[in-house]
């Protein structure tokens, strides 16, 4: 259903990431209110943005609310997303959308039963201008045929009680890898190490795709330095999306030379070429996309089905520790 008026959106979950969503939606002029199980937290955030503080038990029945952004502890995402869709609300649910394949499928099924509603996963890096530029380059064939993708997302801290390093960190890069490959992997192998407690602080995922692409994801929350890097190896060139680099160096292209002669394979390294990328915060671009999909009825670029695909990989690659 199309509408010329901006939607009224509520943020459910007023923690760190929910506060970011609330600020962004307020700046875009569509924040109607906030809700949280902790009244003091929602009251403070509502006052900060001069919007309504809404009780959780009342949020689904409010006819003035068009859409909801869910930024809860992930064990609550599935039930809340299903309830929102059944109440006739558009929904953007943060990743991971659930902590099991069965719960993620419930969200997808609820979306299928309400096709007129936008049901979107919060894969925010899909909206990063550097990644969008990388997608365009791959589509044009600038890198040739993609053969290998690897990501390193490591740092220190954020030790969640329910999520290990794999479930907390890997969804970012898995969403990017799935967008590039356009297909689900046929083989997933996970290796993890629990240092502090029973949950993995380090995790590797190795993926094999039906089209021949292979990939690995390395995540850590017990690392002395911060790294946010996605590397794509093609037959013509290599690309690196480095989200820690300065803005004008976030997307680098390497035209290294490789050839085979009588002495075997040879290589010659060249300096990177940095790609000009558009300005814009990924979260703002994601929120604007959500609003546009609600307004026009256009399909979302990050459907809840994409969130399910990520959960399936995480589940298959999970390593349990006693």
């Amino acid at each position: 259903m199309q509408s010329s008026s901006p939607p009224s959106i509520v943020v459910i979950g007023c923690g760190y990431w929910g506060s970011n969503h609330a600020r962004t939606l307020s700046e875009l002029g569509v924040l109607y209110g906030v809700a949280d199980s902790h009244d003091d937290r929602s009251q403070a955030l509502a006052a900060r943005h001069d919007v309504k503080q809404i009780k959780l038990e009342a949020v689904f029945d409010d006819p003035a609310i068009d859409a909801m952004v869910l930024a809860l502890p992930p064990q609550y995402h599935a039930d809340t997303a299903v309830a929102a869709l059944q109440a006739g609300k558009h929904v953007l649910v943060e990743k991971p959308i659930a902590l099991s394949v069965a719960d993620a499928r419930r969200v997808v099924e609820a979306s299928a039963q309400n096709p007129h509603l936008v049901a979107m996963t919060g894969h925010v890096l899909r909206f990063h201008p550097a990644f969008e530029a990388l997608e365009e380059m791959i589509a044009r064939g600038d890198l040739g045929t993609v053969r290998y993708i690897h990501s390193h997302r490591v740092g220190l801290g954020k030790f969640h009680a329910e999520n290990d390093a794999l479930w907390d960190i890997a969804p970012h890069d898995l969403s990017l890898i799935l967008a590039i490959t356009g297909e689900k992997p046929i083989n997933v192998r996970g290796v993890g190490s629990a240092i502090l407690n029973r949950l993995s602080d380090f995790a590797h995922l190795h993926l094999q795709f039906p089209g021949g692409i292979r990939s690995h994801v390395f995540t850590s929350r017990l690392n002395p330095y911060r790294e946010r890097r996605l590397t794509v190896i093609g037959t013509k060139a290599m690309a690196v999306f480095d989200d820690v680099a300065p803005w004008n160096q976030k997307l680098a292209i390497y035209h290294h030379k490789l050839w085979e002669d009588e002495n075997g394979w040879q290589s010659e390294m060249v300096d990177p070429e940095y790609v000009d990328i558009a300005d814009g915060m990924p979260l703002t671009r994601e929120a604007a996309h959500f609003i546009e999909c609600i307004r026009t009825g256009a399909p979302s670029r990050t459907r809840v089905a994409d969130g399910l695909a990520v959960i399936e990989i995480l589940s298959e690659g999970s390593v349990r520790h006693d």
Side-chain angles (χ1 to χ4, degrees):
M1 181 180 299
Q2 298 184 11
S3 174
S4 58
S5 58
S8 297
I9 303 178
V10 166
V11 173
I12 302 181
C14 299
Y16 172 76
W17 203 236
S19 297
N20 289 336
H21 277 291
R23 183 194 69 247
T24 301
L25 294 169
S26 178
E27 292 170 351
L28 293 172
V30 295
L31 182 64
Y32 176 80
V34 297
D36 195 282
S37 59
H38 300 278
D39 286 342
D40 55 341
R41 195 152 57 181
S42 58
Q43 184 177 22
L45 191 59
R48 187 185 311 165
H49 297 293
D50 193 24
V51 296
K52 290 187 176 184
Q53 177 196 19
I54 305 171
K55 297 291 186 181
L56 277 176
E57 57 269 22
V59 72
F60 300 107
D61 297 325
D62 190 334
I65 298 171
D66 299 310
M68 300 178 177
V69 172
L70 311 184
L72 297 158
Q75 62 267 32
Y76 302 116
H77 277 162
D79 285 344
T80 312
V82 170
L85 290 166
Q86 291 176 342
K89 314 298 184 184
H90 304 281
V91 65
L92 187 160
V93 54
E94 267 301 332
K95 46 78 187 105
I97 66 170
L99 291 181
S100 71
V101 171
D103 280 345
R105 283 180 179 154
R106 288 199 295 116
V107 179
V108 173
E109 289 166 1
S111 174
Q113 292 165 4
N114 297 276
H116 61 291
L117 297 174
V118 178
M120 179 172 161
T121 305
H123 287 153
V124 67
L125 287 182
R126 289 281 304 276
F127 299 90
H128 196 297
F131 182 73
E132 292 177 339
L134 174 59
E135 281 189 296
E136 292 173 3
M137 296 186 70
I138 293 171
R140 288 196 306 264
D142 294 355
L143 304 185
T145 302
V146 175
R147 296 295 194 193
Y148 198 86
I149 308 168
H150 61 87
S151 71
H152 287 213
R153 187 167 296 272
V154 302
L156 182 66
K158 292 192 176 180
F159 302 100
H160 300 284
E162 298 291 335
N163 283 359
D164 62 10
L166 180 67
W167 282 78
D168 181 41
I169 305 171
H172 288 291
D173 295 292
L174 288 174
S175 70
L176 304 184
I177 292 168
L178 290 175
I180 292 171
T181 61
E183 55 188 7
K184 294 182 180 180
I186 55 175
N187 186 39
V188 178
R189 182 167 56 90
V191 179
S193 296
I195 307 300
L196 298 182
N197 55 27
R198 62 182 179 84
L199 299 174
S200 293
D201 301 299
F202 299 88
H204 284 88
L205 276 180
H206 298 271
L207 312 173
Q208 181 181 357
F209 291 87
I213 297 174
R214 293 177 181 263
S215 178
H216 86 247
V217 176
F218 175 46
T219 62
S220 170
R221 58 187 182 185
L222 197 61
N223 207 70
Y225 59 86
R226 187 168 176 263
E227 185 177 6
R228 305 284 187 270
R229 186 176 295 174
L230 178 80
T231 301
V232 182
I233 308 299
T235 54
K236 291 183 180 178
M238 307 174 186
V240 178
F241 166 29
D242 186 349
D243 203 17
V244 176
W247 191 262
N248 62 352
Q249 296 181 6
K250 286 192 181 295
L251 181 56
I253 307 300
Y254 293 82
H255 292 281
H256 295 327
K257 297 178 182 179
L258 295 168
W259 70 94
E260 188 177 18
D261 58 24
E262 63 276 9
N263 296 315
W265 281 100
Q266 310 296 323
S267 64
E268 180 181 335
M269 297 183 66
V270 298
D271 291 335
E273 300 174 7
Y274 294 107
V275 179
D276 290 332
I277 58 175
D279 291 329
M281 297 298 293
L283 186 59
T284 302
R285 295 163 71 97
E286 178 187 66
H289 177 73
F290 182 46
I291 294 165
E292 184 68 7
C293 290
I294 294 171
R295 192 181 64 81
T296 66
S300 164
R301 286 167 50 194
T302 56
R303 305 165 302 155
V304 288
D306 298 332
L308 169 59
V310 168
I311 300 300
E312 289 173 336
I313 295 173
L314 292 172
S315 296
E316 189 172 353
S318 290
V319 177
R320 302 298 181 190
H321 298 277
D322 296 329

